[in-house]
Amino acid sequence: MQVEAHLQKIIDQEGKVHLTLIDPASQTPERAAEIALAAVKGDTDAIMIGGSTGASGTLLDETVIKIKQKVDVPTILFPGSSAGLSSYADAVFFMSLLNSRDIGYVVTNQVLGAPLVYRSQIEPISMAYLVVEPGGTVGWVGDAKLIPRRKPEIAAAYALAGKYLGMHYTYLEAGSGADTPVNPEMIGAVKQVLGENKLIVGGGIRDAKAAKLCASAGADMIVTGTIVEEVKDVTAKVAELVSAIKR
Ligand SMILES: CC(C)=CCC/C(C)=C/CC/C(C)=C/CC/C(C)=C/COP(=O)(O)OP(=O)(O)O
Ligand SMILES: O=P(O)(O)OC[C@@H](O)CO
Ligand SMILES: [Mg+2]
């Protein structure tokens, strides 16, 4: 419960959490650690590590190790499969892609990965992962039956099912690099049924305005990945996003 409890404390004290997603396949482990350090200087709360393609093995381990050497915020795995686990990380979003048509993403990868989590010190954080239109790479890789952007009631029904199955977190994902994030109506409808359960929103959030819109609509945590990979001044960009969501 350490990382989950830590994030809860930040929500209690500051209202919202900002998570920086780093894809191990996008740069060297050294560069990943520099990005993580710059993001922490901009006050990000934790580093998520994962990618839907190629984030595994030595590259993944090295990326986690280098990041942990540079920063003291939690490192949380965001695995695209059981191969996305690394025993060096602090926690893992132990997620099921509830709207996948492929049982592999609903439960089989979790079965294959569970013994490694059991043997390690990695803290599993149970999460319902929901992919919304347009869905991007993860929608395609995860064979998601994409939730229509304008059907908040479908997203809310999935979120409720996840909550009743015992999942602590729900993640509304528009897909990495989406043109526009999940809309506020859907975020509000999902948070309404979740109550105290935590809601993460990500995909296509690039600036303060979008981050604030998602947070005000009910997201407890905001994830940004692509924009942090793209900008020159990571610290300034993260500071912009963080100050837009914190109280
Ligand atoms: C809990 C365990 C062991 C496995 C979960 C396996 C599941 C449910 C995966 C969901 C489907 C999937 C492929 C998720 C990837 C999540 C992710 C890391 C997305 C961010 O990556 P992108 O930025 O879209 O990836 P690329 O940049 O590599 O395209
Ligand atoms: O890369 P971006 O668009 O910030 O999306 C982050 C995350 O939701 C992807 O899984
Ligand atoms: Mg990416």
Side-chain angles (χ1 to χ4, degrees), residues 179-194:
D179 289 338
T180 39
V182 173
N183 65 45
E185 292 74 20
M186 184 177 283
I187 295 170
V190 168
K191 183 58 185 170
Q192 158 112 40
V193 299
L194 284 179

Side-chain angles (χ1 to χ4, degrees), residues 21 23 25-26 48-55 78-85 92-98 104-107 109-114 117 129 131 135-139 141-143 171 173 175-177 225-226 229:
L21 173 63
D23 188 343
S26 296
M48 282 166 63
I49 303 168
S52 39
T53 48
F78 187 41
S81 73
S82 59
L85 295 171
V92 55
F93 282 142
F94 206 86
M95 58 191 186
S96 174
L97 207 183
L98 291 185
Y105 291 106
V106 180
V107 74
N109 274 290
Q110 295 77 353
V111 171
L112 297 176
V117 175
Y129 188 46
V131 182
T137 305
V138 69
V141 173
D143 197 7
Y171 189 139
E173 168 76 271
S176 191
T226 303
E229 282 175 7

Side-chain angles (χ1 to χ4, degrees), residues 26-222:
S26 296
Q27 66 284 299
T28 63
E30 288 74 17
R31 177 73 193 132
E34 279 168 24
I35 295 172
L37 179 60
V40 168
K41 285 183 178 158
D43 279 335
T44 198
D45 296 300
I47 307 293
M48 282 166 63
I49 303 168
S52 39
T53 48
S56 65
T58 319
L59 183 61
L60 172 63
D61 285 341
E62 284 295 318
T63 300
V64 177
I65 291 168
K66 294 277 183 216
I67 289 175
K68 283 196 66 75
Q69 284 169 355
K70 287 244 171 166
V71 306
D72 50 17
V73 299
T75 49
I76 306 172
L77 298 168
F78 187 41
S81 73
S82 59
L85 295 171
S86 165
S87 54
Y88 299 100
D90 298 308
V92 55
F93 282 142
F94 206 86
M95 58 191 186
S96 174
L97 207 183
L98 291 185
N99 62 318
S100 176
R101 299 182 182 89
D102 181 344
I103 195 168
Y105 291 106
V106 180
V107 74
T108 315
N109 274 290
Q110 295 77 353
V111 171
L112 297 176
L116 192 145
V117 175
Y118 183 76
R119 286 194 303 270
S120 70
Q121 302 291 313
I122 318 170
E123 173 186 338
I125 299 175
S126 61
M127 184 162 88
Y129 188 46
L130 308 177
V131 182
V132 179
E133 287 175 342
T137 305
V138 69
W140 184 82
V141 173
D143 197 7
K145 187 172 172 183
L146 297 175
I147 299 173
R149 278 184 66 78
R150 295 185 199 292
K151 292 291 176 188
E153 66 276 17
I154 297 178
Y158 268 109
L160 262 184
K163 177 178 165 179
Y164 294 157
L165 283 165
M167 293 158 178
H168 297 184
Y169 284 22
T170 300
Y171 189 139
L172 279 178
E173 168 76 271
S176 191
D179 289 338
T180 39
V182 173
N183 65 45
E185 292 74 20
M186 184 177 283
I187 295 170
V190 168
K191 183 58 185 170
Q192 158 112 40
V193 299
L194 284 179
E196 282 306 299
N197 278 32
K198 299 300 162 252
L199 176 59
I200 305 185
V201 174
I205 299 171
R206 294 177 177 79
D207 54 27
K209 193 177 163 206
K212 197 182 176 69
L213 203 62
C214 294
S216 311
D220 298 293
M221 308 188 200
I222 297 292

